[in-house]
Amino acid sequence: MTEITRLDAPLVVGAGVAGLTVALGLPQAYVLTTQDMGSTWWAQGGIAVAWSPDDSPRQHADDTLSVSGGLGVERVVDLLTHGGPAAVENLIAIGAQFDRDEDGGLMLAREGGHRTRRVLHADGDATGAEVMRALIAAVEAGDRVTVIQRRAIDLVMAGDRVIGVVTSEGKKREVLLAPAVVLATGGAGRIYSQTTNPAGVTGDGIAMAGRAGARLADLEFVQFHPTALHVGKDPMPLLTEALRGEGAILVDAHGRRFMPQYHPMAELAPRDIVARAIFWQYDRGLGGAYLDARSIVDFADRFPTVNAHAHSVELDPSEHLLPVSPAAHYYMGGIDADSNGRTSVPGLWAVGEASSTGVHGANRLASNSLLEGLVFGARTSADVATSLVAPDGEPFAPKEAFDLPLVAGPALEDLRQIMWDRVGLVRTGPGLWEARSHLLELDSVLRRTIAGRVALELSLMVILAALRRSESRGGHYRADYPEPDPMQEHRTLIDPTRAQMTAVS
Ligand code: SIN
């Protein structure tokens, strides 16, 4: 018998910036989270927001749209950038502390694709940690949010409606039923062997929404951060783009600067362009890539997180070149959701990196994702609060949710390598087909565990979407179709077949 508990308030799955913002905006909420820390904690660069008197939400929207490969949805982008200043004020009101200048004004950094300085930061390069500290303090200061430490495995349905979640605590399974379910489970960087994403960022929410038949969007668009420290660590330590905003340059092994030949904005070109340039440096044997940050004064004070990462491998950014490589970083694809977090399935909302609203199009503007969590998190709670339906009807869930162990074996590492080699920054039709057939060879092994099944299902959907897009745009580059095709300037929507469900008993 599976234990079934009825919750009297919405259930938010995930406790990063998006999940906690949703929960704090509700009169009562439950938050389901694991021990894994999630990506928000690791965010270095900051929060992009039109804060300076010389800037405006319109200019922020224009920069967001201009790097989006033609797929950014203007209406949604406008909501993001116009909602930015108020979202940041709310965060400051609950205690978040951002770096300030001598006059007490907020300091603004510049990152790739931004035509002006508009990135707020905290403790130099530890913005995500400060945002989380403030949000957790707000949760702890009240009694409206109850945190449940457990892993979500699958959604529970009654007819066409999501009414809850199957959870796991070790081998034990328990079903939680709730009047609304919000997935704020983050991205899927760990389906790649090279990623900046920590353990747990495995696309679980996206895969479980797909098994419930929720429409997914833009799955081919993975963002690779250009500069992860290339020293054999997993996850790869991030070297924030703000370093380039402060004058760090990219050079090859002979110290020659290479970005000006790729783009007029050089090191501050849009992220996909810098990432691919670094990829070519290795792939074409052009002498690799190093970040030269030696010109930045007071490095250790201004970038303490990066400084610590570098020193942990005996590199001193004030003296040494830092070897860099691109790494899977952010997922533009995800659960198709509108600007209130509504998905195609009643009872289910999605927000933050797990969702795909069109706000980033094919390529996200740097430091727009914490803002996304704040702005769309607040909009989602407002919508959820007016749409609660007490769970009713016989609960069903995918059968495997109850049978399989959680943790994947070594085949998951094979999958991650295949995805990096064939479905990474530069893709080709034959390479994508090859990846698909390698993954299908691993199918039966991967499907023996929950984690393996999630990674397999999501990876196959990424490959399918990448095969369907026979052009290059934003984060999706096909060497066999290197140009954008105006006929394909539209988002990719996929309606997955709902998994076979079994009655929960
Ligand atoms: C960075 O600091 O470079 C990362 C910021 C982001 O991914 O938006």
Side-chain angles (χ1 to χ4, degrees), residues 43-46 111 223 225 238-242 244 271 329 364-369:
Q44 292 182 3
E111 296 183 359
Q223 181 166 74
H225 195 287
L238 184 68
L239 304 183
T240 174
E241 201 151 313
R244 282 175 274 134
R271 198 170 265 189
H329 182 63
R364 177 179 63 96
L365 184 67
S367 284
N368 264 356
S369 49

Side-chain angles (χ1 to χ4, degrees), residues 240-279:
T240 174
E241 201 151 313
L243 293 163
R244 282 175 274 134
E246 293 304 316
I249 55 169
L250 286 160
V251 297
D252 65 16
H254 308 289
R256 290 179 301 225
R257 193 174 174 205
F258 57 82
M259 269 320 295
Q261 75 205 41
Y262 288 97
H263 196 276
M265 288 174 85
E267 280 82 3
L268 290 176
R271 198 170 265 189
D272 57 323
I273 289 168
V274 184
R276 250 187 326 272
I278 295 177
F279 176 86

Side-chain angles (χ1 to χ4, degrees), residues 185-200:
T185 44
R190 294 201 68 81
I191 61 174
Y192 287 91
S193 57
Q194 291 200 194
T195 179
T196 58
N197 290 185

Side-chain angles (χ1 to χ4, degrees), residues 95 209-210 213 228 257 337 371 480:
R257 193 174 174 205
L371 189 65
D480 43 357

Side-chain angles (χ1 to χ4, degrees), residues 10 25 47 101 151 170 199 212 216 255 288 319 325 337 339 387 440 480:
I47 304 181
D101 59 25
R151 185 167 210 94
L216 305 179
E319 278 182 34
S325 160
S339 55
S387 319
L440 292 177
D480 43 357

